[in-house]
Amino acid sequence: MYYLCNEIKEKDYIFIGTFQNSKNILINENNRSIAVMARLSGVKFLFMGDNGFPTESYFMENNYDLNADVLEVGHHGSKNSTSSAFINRVTPKTAIFSFGYNNYGHPAETVAEKLYKSGCSLHYIHVHGSITVNVYNKWYNIMNSEDIEYYGEK
């Protein structure tokens, strides 16, 4: 997966965070994954890595700015990630599922359905191959081996 930007603007940023387990709750290794929020040329990306519900809840409870145009779906779209409340906070226009053949059932059909019903366009690495997001001034396009889609203020 590649994310390209034609130029870095003064207001661009990247924030990296992890779930802080202050309650000493036993969590699995996936929820210790790094999450990244990036803003490039007015387009916001949220990369959730292998994180699931505990990290999503932590970010929402601590009032993180989660609004993003592009969401890399957490934990490959497993049934333990991407809650409806999280989708409502992020309000993504585009969701990218990063997964290959697996025995875990990723992505869960319910996760894809929730994102689709929220108005998201869905892109799957396993189906589309490599996915390229080209970022320009407040708009972006997504290219894969099949087509190109445009989003934002062109």
Side-chain angles (χ1 to χ4, degrees):
M1 188 173 0
Y2 298 98
Y3 297 88
L4 305 174
C5 180
N6 63 340
E7 62 183 276
I8 302 297
K9 306 272 186 197
E10 185 177 314
K11 294 181 182 176
D12 293 344
Y13 62 83
I14 296 177
F15 170 79
I16 300 172
T18 59
F19 172 61
Q20 302 297 313
N21 191 359
S22 60
K23 298 176 185 172
N24 293 319
I25 299 169
L26 183 62
I27 58 171
N28 67 32
E29 291 295 318
N30 292 328
N31 288 299
R32 294 185 182 147
S33 181
I34 292 174
V36 176
M37 171 68 82
R39 181 178 180 269
L40 301 169
S41 293
V43 177
K44 289 178 71 179
F45 295 83
L46 178 56
F47 303 90
M48 286 301 292
D50 265 347
N51 291 296
F53 294 146
T55 305
E56 294 172 8
S57 295
Y58 174 80
F59 288 160
M60 289 187 290
E61 289 166 6
N62 288 281
N63 295 314
Y64 281 75
D65 176 11
L66 297 171
N67 187 271
D69 301 295
V70 179
L71 171 66
E72 181 267 327
V73 179
H75 199 182
H76 316 287
S78 82
K79 64 182 180 180
N80 298 314
S81 70
T82 321
S83 68
S84 294
F86 187 71
I87 293 168
N88 290 337
R89 284 285 295 274
V90 176
T91 63
K93 296 175 187 73
T94 303
I96 298 175
F97 290 83
S98 178
F99 70 98
Y101 174 78
N102 63 83
N103 293 322
Y104 300 105
H106 300 338
E109 202 171 302
T110 55
V111 171
E113 187 175 302
K114 285 188 283 188
L115 285 160
Y116 180 77
K117 285 182 177 178
S118 78
C120 238
S121 69
L122 308 179
H123 299 269
Y124 302 89
I125 300 284
H126 186 66
V127 175
H128 298 113
S130 65
I131 294 173
T132 302
V133 179
N134 295 297
V135 178
Y136 305 95
N137 188 22
K138 297 184 181 175
W139 67 276
Y140 62 97
N141 68 25
I142 297 179
M143 299 187 322
N144 58 52
S145 57
E146 298 173 3
D147 58 11
I148 301 176
E149 293 182 18
Y150 294 90
Y151 302 88
E153 304 169 19
K154 220 170 157 186

